[in-house]
């Protein structure tokens, strides 16, 4: 039985932890040295992009840019703006011949809200990267060692010398996607055969010779860290997200369909995938909702290093703040300062427009708009998600969307991503131009 002193000590430890300044809190823009008006104006402006209109090269036929989204901005550890807008579930049917989607009756439509859970798509790569950085901190892997030194079966088809650094900066030489795709279940009937396909995948460039964004890099990274840590990737990620209080961040391992999956009601609806792309797509209820949109991640049981994670902006803001805090959150150390510095270090000086830290892109206008700079680490996800962590201004901003609902072909939401960066820059008092469209 605990003594009174032990209970008091526990209570004190808890209260000290709760007051830790490295935890996100809520406050006015002014309390974070920002202006309120641009952040207020941002809400109506982002909402306007959910309506039909001519958005230049970002859409065709006046299609909306996205049905809705959820956005969060924080500076100096203070959340200064967070809101949902538009719809997380809007269309009930899609006709591929006419490219026309039919809206659900109004009472069946669902608003995008602050707690809407989005398919993170390639933002998953950032969480896989943090899991890999933890292994670097532990000394179980090194950035400069070859993949084959941890997974000998990788040393085929010219991949003997591919390094971990090349995986996390997309310079390994891999083509963009596995071919044939892993979701061709005739070619790859089992999970094991799909992992083997990743290990056997050939290169299209010599290692280090070119920057080519490839999901194969992060599928391979998953295999490396699962091998050295002896745990599945989802468990390795939960090992740091759960202690940070990220309880709406998860993979749907096993691709559980429909309301049988506990988070289903809060999850954004995605694409009428089979109608848009044809019968070769994964056979599952349409539109895709609740299971991972990315077909190769679906084929890997819903868990891969390149896609598969779902999250909310509130949860992911904690992940970003941990990075701005140089590795800690709520008094817990997740990464060393050296590991965080590797996120912001540009390993791709050979490829000037493709600056890249470990897992994160650097200095990208299409993700961050006018906030882009060499100390802004960012990434996007195919479904419409965006994450920016800017060391230069101690700011993080997130824009999550289900822009592939009803079809991936309707629009690019880069204009909304850039717009968020514009409004954040305006709120910092900067004189910048609205991104052109
Ligand atoms: C968003 O705001 C900018 C800057 O005021 C404006 O130029 C643009 O037309 C707005 N976008 C929409 C879709 O209303
Ligand atoms: C799609 O639209 C075409 C052209 O109007 C029509 O012939 C077809 O029946 C529609 N398909 C479905 C599934 O409603
Ligand atoms: C790996 O590097 C070694 C040493 O530079 C070289 O001899 C070998 O040919 C390389 N292997 C491949 C598959 O490129
Ligand atoms: C994190 O590290 C960077 C680079 O050394 C430094 O500029 C920044 O002030 C640090 N932030 C905190 C919260 O310690």
């Amino acid at each position: 039985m605990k003594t009174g002193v032990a209970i008091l000590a526990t209570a004190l430890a808890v209260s000290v932890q709760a007051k830790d300044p490295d935890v996100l809190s809520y406050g006015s823009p002014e309390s974070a040295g920002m202006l309120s008006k641009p952040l207020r104006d941002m809400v109506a402006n982002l909402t306007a992009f959910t309506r039909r209109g001519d958005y230049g090269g970002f859409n065709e036929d006046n299609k909306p840019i996205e049905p809705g989204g959820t956005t969060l901005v924080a500076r100096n550890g203070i959340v200064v703006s967070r809101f949902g807008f538009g719809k997380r579930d809007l269309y009930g049917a899609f006709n591929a011949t006419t490219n026309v989607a039919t809206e659900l009756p109004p009472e069946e439509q669902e608003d995008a809200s602050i707690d809407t859970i989005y398919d993170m798509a390639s933002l998953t790569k950032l969480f896989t990267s943090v899991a890999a950085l933890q292994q670097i901190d532990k000394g179980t892997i090194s950035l400069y060692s070859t993949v084959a030194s941890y997974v000998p079966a990788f040393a085929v088809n010219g991949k003997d010398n591919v390094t971990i650094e090349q995986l996390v900066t997309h310079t390994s030489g891999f083509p963009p996607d596995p071919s044939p795709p892993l979701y061709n279940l005739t070619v790859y009937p089992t999970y094991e055969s799909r992992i083997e396909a990743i290990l056997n995948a050939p290169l299209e460039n010599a290692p280090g010779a070119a920057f080519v964004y490839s999901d194969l890099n992060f599928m391979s990274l998953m295999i490396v860290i699962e091998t050295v840590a002896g745990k599945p990737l989802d468990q390795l990620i939960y090992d740091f997200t759960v202690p940070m209080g990220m309880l709406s961040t998860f993979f749907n391992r096993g691709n559980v369909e429909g309301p049988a999956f506990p988070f289903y009601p809060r999850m954004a609806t995605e694409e009428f995938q089979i109608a848009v792309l044809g019968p070769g797509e994964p056979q599952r209820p349409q539109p895709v909702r609740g299971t991972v949109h990315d077909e190769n991640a679906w084929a890997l049981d819903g868990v891969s290093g390149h896609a598969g994670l779902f999250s909310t902006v509130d949860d992911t803001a904690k992940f970003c703040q941990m990075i701005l805090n140089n590795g800690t959150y709520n008094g817990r150390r997740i990464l060393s300062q050296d590991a965080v510095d590797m996120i912001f270090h540009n390993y791709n000086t050979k490829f000037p427009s493709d600056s890249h830290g470990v897992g994160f892109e650097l200095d990208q206008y299409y993700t961050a708009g006018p906030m882009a700079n060499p100390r802004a680490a960012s990434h996007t996800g195919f479904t419409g998600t965006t994450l920016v962590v800017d060391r230069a201004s101690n700011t993080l901003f997130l824009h999550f969307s289900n822009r592939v609902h009803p079809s991936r072909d309707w629009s690019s939401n880069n204009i909304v991503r850039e717009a968020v960066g514009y409004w954040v820059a305006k709120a910092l008092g900067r004189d910048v131009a609205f991104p052109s469209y």
Side-chain angles (χ1 to χ4, degrees):
M1 224 169 99
K2 269 188 175 174
T3 65
V5 172
I7 291 167
L8 180 62
T10 309
L12 276 175
V14 167
S15 77
V16 166
Q17 203 171 62
K19 278 203 211 103
D20 199 296
D22 71 358
V23 196
L24 279 167
S25 61
Y26 300 94
S28 66
E30 284 70 20
S31 70
M34 296 177 90
L35 304 166
S36 293
K37 187 169 186 308
L39 296 174
R40 276 199 311 273
D41 291 347
M42 169 164 67
V43 180
N45 190 240
L46 302 193
T47 306
F49 287 101
T50 66
R51 296 194 270 271
R52 294 172 59 81
D54 179 1
Y55 304 118
F58 294 98
N59 69 340
E60 278 176 18
D61 302 332
N62 293 329
K63 300 293 193 204
I65 291 291
E66 53 191 33
T70 306
T71 297
L72 182 150
V73 180
R75 183 172 193 229
N76 298 342
I78 304 167
V79 177
V80 295
S81 171
R82 67 197 263 283
F83 57 94
F85 63 94
K87 301 288 177 183
R88 72 170 171 224
D89 186 27
L90 179 56
Y91 302 106
F94 179 72
N95 186 322
T97 311
T98 57
N99 199 26
V100 169
T102 310
E103 291 190 1
L104 290 161
E107 68 277 10
E108 287 177 30
Q109 297 176 13
E110 296 171 27
D111 290 344
S113 55
I114 192 69
D115 71 345
T116 294
I117 295 166
Y118 290 89
D119 182 324
M120 300 279 271
S122 287
L123 296 195
T124 305
K125 293 181 172 77
L126 309 180
F127 290 77
T128 308
S129 296
V130 166
L133 286 168
Q134 288 192 316
Q135 296 303 317
I136 290 173
D137 273 340
K138 282 189 181 167
T140 56
I141 59 173
S142 153
L143 208 50
Y144 309 106
S145 298
T146 63
V147 175
S149 67
Y150 308 111
V151 183
F154 189 82
V156 291
N157 291 326
K159 303 203 298 296
D160 315 45
N161 296 333
V162 170
T163 63
I164 302 291
E165 177 188 332
Q166 289 164 347
L167 294 184
V168 297
T169 58
H170 296 286
T171 57
S172 61
F174 270 132
D177 295 297
S179 176
L182 303 179
Y183 55 94
N184 183 329
L185 305 186
T186 312
V187 179
Y188 304 119
T190 62
Y191 181 85
E192 288 69 28
S193 64
R194 293 164 214 146
I195 294 293
E196 226 172 276
I198 297 164
L199 293 172
N200 289 334
L203 300 180
E204 70 175 16
N205 289 293
F211 172 87
V212 176
Y213 182 81
S214 172
D215 288 343
L216 280 159
N217 290 318
F218 282 79
M219 296 173 186
S220 303
L221 186 63
M222 165 175 76
I223 297 171
V224 170
I225 61 180
E226 287 188 340
T227 302
V228 299
K231 281 187 188 183
L233 178 71
D234 45 353
Q235 190 58 58
L236 290 167
I237 289 178
Y238 299 154
D239 283 350
F240 62 84
T241 56
V242 171
M244 283 196 279
M246 299 173 59
L247 302 182
S248 298
T249 299
F250 53 84
F251 292 87
N252 180 348
R253 180 179 279 283
N255 301 319
V256 179
E257 286 290 351
F261 190 63
F263 290 101
Y264 179 84
R266 286 167 55 203
M267 295 168 84
T269 305
E270 306 288 345
E271 192 177 29
F272 291 86
Q273 202 175 57
I274 296 172
V276 173
L277 286 146
E281 289 293 297
Q283 296 301 303
R284 49 180 163 168
Q286 304 288 304
V288 174
R289 178 179 184 172
T291 56
V292 59
H293 175 265
D294 182 277
E295 298 90 337
N296 287 317
W298 177 86
L300 293 169
D301 243 0
V303 182
S304 180
H306 78 286
L309 199 66
F310 294 84
S311 188
T312 61
V313 292
D314 281 343
D315 270 14
T316 302
K318 296 176 182 175
F319 174 81
C320 296
Q321 190 59 41
M322 177 277 289
I323 292 168
L324 287 175
N325 290 343
N326 291 330
T328 61
Y329 193 82
N330 199 13
R332 292 169 197 270
R333 184 156 289 284
I334 308 295
L335 293 176
S336 68
Q337 164 96 38
D338 286 351
V340 175
D341 287 346
M342 292 160 96
I343 289 173
F344 293 95
H345 179 77
N346 180 18
Y347 293 89
N348 281 4
T349 49
K350 263 173 82 180
F351 311 107
S353 56
D354 299 309
S355 297
H356 224 286
V358 168
F360 291 65
E361 299 186 61
L362 299 170
D363 199 7
Q364 296 298 323
Y365 190 87
Y366 84 101
T367 63
M371 289 297 290
N373 78 83
R375 297 170 75 203
S378 68
H379 214 279
T380 61
F382 187 79
T383 46
T385 51
T386 321
L387 175 161
V388 182
V389 182
D390 181 31
R391 242 188 190 177
S393 64
N394 205 23
T395 303
L396 67 93
F397 50 99
L398 302 169
H399 173 66
F400 291 179
S401 170
N402 52 341
R403 69 110 200 153
V404 298
H405 180 56
S407 164
R408 69 183 69 193
D409 298 330
W410 273 20
S411 58
S412 156
N413 71 336
N414 286 355
I415 184 59
V416 179
R417 294 172 163 140
E418 294 166 11
V420 176
Y422 165 82
W423 293 111
V424 170
K426 293 294 274 185
L428 288 166
R430 298 183 188 171
D431 182 18
V432 294
F434 195 81
S436 56
Y437 63 86

